[in-house]
Amino acid sequence: MTIDALAATPRLAVIAHEDLQSCAADALLTGFARSLAGEGWPIGGVVHARRLDAAGRKRMFLIDVASGREFCISQDLGPQSRACCVDPGAVAQASGVLRQALADRVRLAIVNRFGELEATGGGFAAELAALAGEGVPVLTAVSRKHLQAWRHFAGDAGIELPLDVQALHDWAQRACAPAAEGASAAPGKAA
């Protein structure tokens, strides 16, 4: 579904990207969140950052877009590990940011990604569904390897956007417009 083909703008939007573009998607979401906050939009959610810790190890963080609070979501599995190093407990702790965004009735929620955890029903899946179900537009990112799971999750309530800031702005203006309220079904509830 493209943004031009919409009669009613879906409340769930995802930046669909190739695996090698995940850093670009992270940067786009972070920049977009900063731009909206700078314009005075009441937004909530988390964005993703990668950087080295004090010991020089690569770490992943979720950053609360409203407060700047950081959650380290990397766990040290040892140098020989090839498993996913995302710490589900830290993700669960960061999910409180999304629940607070729902309680605050933000204008738009940004979620770092729909990844492996969400594709299997964990991670932020419940929070994504709760936000969209309560009419809060949600923007996230998904790599191609999880795109089918995203499509199953979002159903008719979702739209796929390119890695393009103007496409994000266009969607956000339409999804957050008062006339769009109640226009789309919640995830898992096809219209």
Side-chain angles (χ1 to χ4, degrees):
M1 184 179 315
T2 65
I3 203 158
D4 297 330
L6 297 173
T9 303
R11 295 297 187 133
L12 286 170
V14 69
I15 302 166
H17 62 82
E18 301 300 328
D19 288 344
L20 296 175
Q21 295 175 312
S22 64
C23 289
D26 293 340
L28 181 60
L29 279 174
T30 300
F32 186 63
R34 286 184 184 142
S35 172
L36 293 180
E39 294 174 22
W41 282 49
I43 62 171
V46 292
V47 292
H48 192 264
R50 292 181 179 101
R51 61 179 175 271
L52 299 177
D53 67 10
R57 296 174 298 213
K58 293 179 184 176
R59 295 291 184 218
M60 296 179 294
F61 295 85
L62 294 178
I63 303 166
D64 180 337
V65 299
S67 72
R69 180 178 177 201
E70 295 187 357
F71 301 85
C72 180
I73 60 166
S74 297
Q75 57 183 335
D76 191 356
L77 300 176
Q80 302 302 317
S81 176
R82 298 291 175 244
C84 178
C85 69
V86 173
D87 180 352
V91 172
Q93 184 181 17
S95 70
V97 173
L98 300 177
R99 290 189 303 277
Q100 187 62 51
L102 181 58
D104 291 345
R105 301 296 301 167
V106 296
R107 186 170 179 196
L108 175 73
I110 296 178
V111 180
N112 65 306
R113 67 179 38 104
F114 184 92
E116 182 76 29
L117 294 174
E118 291 78 16
T120 58
F124 295 141
E127 289 79 9
L128 285 162
L131 285 158
E134 290 297 320
V136 177
V138 179
L139 175 63
T140 189
V142 68
S143 71
R144 297 277 178 211
K145 67 183 171 188
H146 300 301
L147 190 53
Q148 283 307 111
W150 164 261
R151 288 173 177 161
H152 178 75
F153 174 82
D156 291 339
I159 184 171
E160 296 166 27
L161 301 173
L163 271 166
D164 176 75
V165 71
Q166 189 59 53
L168 303 187
H169 278 287
D170 291 347
W171 168 80
Q173 289 295 332
R174 292 179 64 183
C176 296
E181 288 188 25
S184 296
K189 299 177 183 174

